[in-house]
Amino acid sequence: MTRIGCFREVAAVLLLASTAVGNGGPVDMSMVVSTGNLRFLNVPGVELLSEELNIAMERDHAVVRVVYRLENHGATTRITYGFPVETFDRMEWEPEREDFSSFRFTVDGVTVAPGQPVAEDTLTLEIEGMEQSGRMVRSWRSIELDLAGNGQTVVEVDYRVRPCFMDWSSNKSAFVSYSHRYFRYLLDPSGNWGDGTVQSFRCTLDFRELLRKGGEVISLPGGGDWIEPGLYRIDREEFDLASAPPMELVYDVTAWKWTDYVVEQRFPADSLEVVSSSPSLPPSGEVSYRLENLFDGRPETAWALSLEENPEPRLTVDLRGEILSCVALIPGYARSRETWTGNARIRSATVTVYYSNQGYPHVYENDVELPDTDFPEDIPMSRAMQVLFSSGEYLPVDSVTVRFTGVYPGAVWNDLCVSELILTR
């Protein structure tokens, strides 16, 4: 038995770790329902000339920047206006979180500190398809602003917000169940400026990082166009804000979160002791097929062996009481479409986990049939990998054995290739 750092004929599995949550329950959530436009509270003689709204979707946040250009057609005056934030009542057991942060008003390039939030309205809301409903409080971030007579003023609002969601964990799986993210932006408060219309309205929704990380846009406000991959824009002239419904969008971050989780929780290769029953193929020029390739985090490298010489290869990993939550793999040679289809891919496997529960030895065995997926090009690890074993109980494991019991034949070569073998804590 040899540590992977030394590599005799050794192979390993990538493991995933998580915080244990008893028998399951919420592990993270945001209760923010909506944010939105300025509502100006007195003096109607100020016209909103333009509004430019930019929203970029991060992993757990939406980053918002909105710029208003106002024109005061009368004398110099002081107005009071506010920016609304709607939040579901926080549950008693839920810890305090910073769901809404980095809020900033800027007036003609100068930052203006808002006063204390003012709770003004209460209402109930049910979010269709999100399994969220309840009593909601709308609070206002407000400032006093002096507007010069017969002049223009530019007001900018910036903030970060965690869209409404509730993620769950269960002891039946190592993975958290991530809910869709729901974001709502109120348009009608700005209908209180002037006659309720804006000469020019532009909204840009930036999903580029979300899509690059494997996320998915579920629903969008209508009336816009994709101006480039991941960038959605709505342009309106003489737009009636006073009667405009809220802009609503829903998106999925599961692939992004899972991939980060796998990378963060993966067992270091040099911490595993692994024995392989099957020798690797010799290198072909500068391309190697050694066992180290299973643990380098690079799907474009692979461990390869001859099926003629090894009809039922197996690997055993000695964990010596370490916590194991997941065993997964990328079942082919993901270097290119040609290497993926040209070589054999794993069709079935048996995973055997030897573990101790309160000092008593146990054996868990599972036969897994894997689909023959297409070449996993430009997709996150969480979508490319196939799970053989997953548990949220986080028990100490003595060893894990993986037997490859069936393959999808390669179109060119009779060699079995595995790009990644994944063990997580």
Side-chain angles (χ1 to χ4, degrees):
M1 190 170 292
T2 307
R3 285 194 180 275
I4 289 178
C6 301
F7 274 101
R8 141 158 106 98
E9 280 305 326
V10 174
V13 181
L14 177 67
L15 291 172
L16 195 65
S18 171
T19 303
V21 190
N23 290 324
V27 296
D28 194 12
M29 66 176 60
S30 167
M31 304 304 284
V32 175
V33 180
S34 309
T35 58
N37 269 309
L38 302 173
R39 188 178 97 172
F40 116 88
L41 303 179
N42 55 29
V43 188
V46 179
E47 181 182 5
L48 180 59
L49 301 179
S50 66
E51 175 179 340
E52 185 164 346
L53 172 63
N54 296 277
I55 305 171
M57 304 304 158
E58 293 184 343
R59 192 179 74 162
D60 284 324
H61 290 82
V63 181
V64 181
R65 178 177 181 266
V66 56
V67 179
Y68 307 93
R69 186 174 296 276
L70 308 170
E71 184 166 10
N72 179 12
H73 297 288
T76 297
T77 186
R78 168 166 288 195
I79 67 170
T80 303
Y81 63 91
F83 195 91
V85 179
E86 297 178 340
T87 307
F88 279 130
D89 278 352
R90 192 171 295 276
M91 301 176 188
E92 292 182 0
W93 49 263
E94 186 190 359
E96 291 288 334
R97 293 187 176 94
E98 195 175 48
D99 292 335
F100 185 83
S101 61
S102 305
F103 185 83
R104 183 182 65 179
F105 275 122
T106 304
V107 181
D108 288 332
V110 178
T111 299
V112 179
Q116 290 296 317
V118 178
E120 186 173 52
D121 307 308
T122 59
L123 59 153
T124 58
L125 175 70
E126 182 174 349
I127 304 174
E128 184 177 353
M130 291 292 292
E131 299 181 359
Q132 292 275 25
S133 63
R135 180 179 176 272
M136 189 171 64
V137 175
R138 176 182 294 168
S139 62
W140 298 86
R141 272 63 174 174
S142 63
I143 61 172
E144 300 292 324
L145 174 65
D146 290 319
L147 294 175
N150 298 311
Q152 294 186 7
T153 302
V154 176
V155 178
E156 179 180 324
V157 179
D158 299 89
Y159 61 92
R160 298 174 78 243
V161 61
R162 300 207 315 160
C164 191
F165 69 91
M166 182 179 289
D167 297 336
W168 287 78
S169 177
S170 166
N171 62 5
K172 296 181 180 179
S173 174
F175 297 103
V176 172
S177 178
Y178 298 107
S179 80
H180 290 164
R181 271 51 178 165
Y182 170 83
F183 184 88
R184 187 169 85 145
Y185 191 89
L186 305 174
L187 294 173
D188 61 329
S190 275
N192 288 279
W193 299 97
D195 63 359
T197 64
V198 60
Q199 293 180 14
S200 173
F201 173 81
R202 167 171 287 183
C203 173
T204 303
L205 303 177
D206 189 347
F207 298 101
R208 289 175 295 185
E209 185 71 1
L210 173 76
L211 298 180
R212 189 176 72 84
K213 296 289 190 174
E216 182 181 358
V217 179
I218 305 301
S219 65
L220 286 168
D225 297 292
W226 292 101
I227 60 174
E228 64 177 74
L231 211 59
Y232 184 79
R233 178 165 290 166
I234 300 171
D235 277 309
R236 291 286 185 273
E237 302 296 330
E238 298 299 326
F239 183 39
D240 181 6
L241 286 169
S243 61
M247 290 200 317
E248 297 177 292
L249 59 96
V250 179
Y251 57 98
D252 185 7
V253 298
T254 299
W256 188 347
K257 298 274 285 188
W258 276 11
T259 296
D260 287 352
Y261 189 49
V262 169
V263 171
E264 292 165 3
Q265 300 298 333
R266 183 174 190 169
F267 259 98
D270 60 4
S271 72
L272 299 174
E273 294 186 353
V274 186
V275 173
S276 167
S277 67
S278 311
S280 305
L281 289 176
S284 175
E286 295 183 356
V287 178
S288 76
Y289 303 107
R290 56 189 183 178
L291 282 165
E292 292 97 319
N293 294 343
L294 286 172
F295 319 109
D296 61 5
R298 300 171 58 215
E300 64 271 20
T301 66
W303 174 54
L305 56 90
S306 169
L307 286 173
E308 293 180 357
E309 299 176 6
N310 304 276
E312 192 175 289
R314 74 173 61 201
L315 305 169
T316 296
V317 184
D318 184 2
L319 293 178
R320 295 177 300 180
E322 293 283 353
I323 299 299
L324 172 69
S325 66
C326 180
V327 179
L329 52 78
I330 298 179
Y333 192 179
R335 181 178 184 180
S336 67
R337 190 171 299 276
E338 289 73 25
T339 59
W340 184 265
T341 58
N343 292 280
R345 302 164 301 282
I346 297 170
R347 177 177 60 83
S348 60
T350 298
V351 57
T352 306
V353 179
Y354 301 88
Y355 67 97
S356 298
N357 187 358
Q358 297 179 349
Y360 295 96
H362 293 265
V363 177
Y364 170 90
E365 187 167 277
N366 188 34
D367 297 322
V368 183
E369 290 287 331
L370 304 179
D372 192 16
T373 59
D374 194 12
F375 169 56
E377 183 177 17
D378 295 330
I379 64 174
M381 183 180 293
S382 63
R383 285 188 176 173
M385 72 184 191
Q386 301 288 330
V387 176
L388 305 181
F389 165 82
S390 175
S391 173
E393 296 190 67
Y394 309 107
L395 297 172
V397 170
D398 297 323
S399 65
V400 176
T401 296
V402 181
R403 292 185 291 118
F404 303 126
T405 56
V407 301
Y408 296 104
V412 181
W413 299 283
N414 190 31
D415 299 325
L416 175 63
C417 299
V418 185
S419 287
E420 291 289 312
L421 188 57
I422 302 163
L423 294 175
T424 64
R425 297 183 188 276

